[in-house]
Every structure is written in C-alpha cells, then in structure tokens.
C-alpha cells in the first residue's frame, strides 16, 4: 500500500525557518492536510487543502504541494511550535494515509 | 464550539469486544462525516474508520476490516465504534474526529481520545 514519508526529526533555532517534507506517489495530485500534535494533546489541523490555514492558525504556517512532495514551512519558528507534525492525504476514496510524523525541536 | 467526547475505553482481553462512543456537540452533527483515528502511545496516527453524514458509506483500514464496525445516530449526535475480536496490536488511544465535509476530506476537530488496552 502507499505511504507518506516524513523525516523523523527537524531541528530549528528560534526565529528561523523549519521545513517539513511529506513524500508520496503523485502526492501533488491530491489534497494534503497538516496536523500539529503536542505531547499529551490531540492533533490540531494547521493546514487544509494543500495551503490554506484554518481560523486561528498563525500566518507563520504555510505549505505547498507539487509533484511527489508536500512541504510545511514554519517561518520565524517559536518555542510554542515544538511538536509532532503529520501530513495526511487520501490514497483512494477509501484509504486515508497519515505521514510517518516529524518531531520539530526548537533549540 | 465543537466538542467531541469519547467514552467506552478500558482494559479488555484478546478476542473480546468493546464499544466506543463519541458524543458530539457545537455543530450540526448530521451534516458532517465522522472518523475514528488511533495512536499507539509514542507512535504515529492511523486512520481506523470513517462514515459519511448519512451513513451511506463506511470505510475501514485493512488492519480492522471485518472486526470493527462504525455507526452513528444523528438523532443522538453520537458516533460509535464496535470493536470485536480485539488483538494486543489494537492497543492505542482512539480519537473521534469530525470531517470538514459530509463526505471524506480531513479532520478539522478532534476529541481528547480514549485509551483501549488489549492484554492477556
């Protein structure tokens, strides 16, 4: 079955830019969604339909999707952004895929 | 404000059954698809099952197909997951999640999750 592959970890200094990739076959032909999960909490959606931000999500979160790779970018990363991030897409009309997850550490 | 509250989790032996419930409020429940997503502690997210707004279509991950059944009661604003023939590998936190559409799209709201532990 298809998979969505993410780097296990990304480290970033405060104020710098963090980029998290999500790779999958023909991913650019699908909508990709991104979720943030902090320890002990439920996931929160930070991006929907490839590059749209839900209400309340800071502008420093942006995303793109093309070819086989989707990318979540956190500009001006803050300590509060330290969390696990997951991409999500539908492999078919009945198979939902989550990425393997990326732990973002703000050093 | 959307609220999703799971219940029904706990400890269960392999081969036994458990029924999870999710009480929804703060939105028109009968207009949105709903899902169950699980997470083994310390691991990633796994979609388990989804159901359209009118229950006309239900889908399952291969790992639970034939053992789990999703259902909903729009009159009671409630979502359910009947889990039969439970296995140790079903041990996880189970989240109830609201879709942003009546069909299947994404998960715009999540419950706090409930732990299911399958052990002998």
């Amino acid at each position: 079955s298809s998979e969505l592959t993410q780097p296990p970890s990304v480290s970033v200094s405060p104020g710098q830019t963090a980029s998290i990739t999500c790779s999958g076959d023909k991913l650019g032909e699908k909508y990709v969604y991104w979720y943030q999960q902090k320890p002990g909490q439920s996931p929160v959606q930070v991006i929907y339909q490839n590059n749209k931000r839900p209400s309340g999500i800071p502008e420093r979160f942006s995303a793109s999707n093309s070819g086989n790779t989707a990318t979540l970018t956190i500009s001006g990363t803050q300590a509060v952004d330290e969390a696990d991030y997951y991409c999500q897409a539908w492999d078919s009309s009945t198979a939902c895929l989550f990425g393997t997850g990326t732990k973002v550490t703000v050093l | 404000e959307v609220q999703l509250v799971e219940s029904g989790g706990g400890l269960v032996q392999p081969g036994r059954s458990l029924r999870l419930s999710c009480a929804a409020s703060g939105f028109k429940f009968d207009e949105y698809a709903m899902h169950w997503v699980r997470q083994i502690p310390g691991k990633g997210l796994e979609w388990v099952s989804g159901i359209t707004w009118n229950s006309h279509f239900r889908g399952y991950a291969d790992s639970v197909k034939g053992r789990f059944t999703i259902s909903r009661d729009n009159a009671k604003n409630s979502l359910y997951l009947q889990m039969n023939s439970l296995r140790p590998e079903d041990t996880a936190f189970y989240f109830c999640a609201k879709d942003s559409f009546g069909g299947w799209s994404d998960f715009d709201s999540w419950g706090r999750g409930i732990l299911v532990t399958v052990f002998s």
Side-chain angles (χ1 to χ4, degrees):
Chain A
S1 62
S2 297
E3 295 182 340
L4 297 179
T5 303
Q6 300 179 233
S9 62
V10 167
S11 296
V12 60
S13 300
Q16 298 304 302
T17 297
S19 294
I20 304 163
T21 57
C22 172
S23 299
D25 186 44
K26 299 180 181 179
L27 193 57
E29 297 178 8
K30 310 175 175 98
Y31 274 139
V32 174
Y33 307 86
W34 291 91
Y35 302 89
Q36 175 195 70
Q37 187 180 31
K38 296 182 179 180
Q41 298 185 19
S42 307
V44 172
Q45 187 180 69
V46 295
I47 293 288
Y48 68 100
Q49 291 182 356
N50 290 336
N51 55 19
K52 298 179 174 66
R53 278 180 293 104
S55 174
I57 300 302
E59 291 184 5
R60 63 180 179 273
F61 288 89
S62 63
S64 62
N65 182 23
S66 179
N68 294 322
T69 303
T71 303
L72 174 69
T73 302
I74 311 173
S75 304
T77 307
Q78 300 180 9
V80 295
D81 301 327
E82 193 163 277
D84 294 327
Y85 291 84
Y86 297 91
C87 58
Q88 176 247 318
W90 289 88
D91 182 40
S92 66
S93 62
T94 59
C96 176
L97 298 176
F98 281 101
T100 49
T102 299
K103 181 178 182 61
V104 170
T105 301
V106 182
L107 300 172
Chain B
E1 178 193 2
V2 173
Q3 287 201 346
L4 301 169
V5 180
E6 302 92 343
S7 61
L11 300 172
V12 63
Q13 292 180 321
R16 304 298 290 266
S17 299
L18 210 57
R19 188 196 196 205
L20 302 183
S21 299
C22 172
S25 61
F27 65 103
K28 287 185 64 62
F29 183 75
D30 59 4
E31 292 186 357
Y32 295 93
M34 297 293 295
H35 303 267
W36 290 98
V37 177
R38 69 184 180 183
Q39 185 174 38
I40 297 171
K43 302 297 183 182
L45 300 171
E46 179 189 20
W47 177 78
V48 173
S49 181
I51 185 169
T52 52
W53 67 276
N54 56 6
S55 300
H56 283 188
F57 192 78
R58 311 171 198 218
Y60 302 91
D62 288 343
S63 57
V64 306
K65 202 170 292 183
R67 301 187 298 122
F68 290 11
T69 302
I70 192 171
S71 62
R72 64 190 294 161
D73 185 337
N74 286 346
K76 295 183 178 179
N77 290 346
S78 293
L79 176 72
Y80 307 101
L81 186 68
Q82 178 67 42
M83 304 185 293
N84 298 333
S85 303
L86 282 161
R87 305 168 179 170
E89 55 264 36
D90 295 319
T91 295
F93 284 97
Y94 285 74
F95 297 97
C96 169
K98 171 187 169 292
D99 204 296
S100 61
F101 291 100
W104 295 358
S105 177
D106 56 320
F107 315 105
D108 65 3
S109 298
W110 298 65
R112 298 187 67 170
I114 194 157
L115 182 61
V116 171
T117 304
V118 184
F119 79 113
S120 52

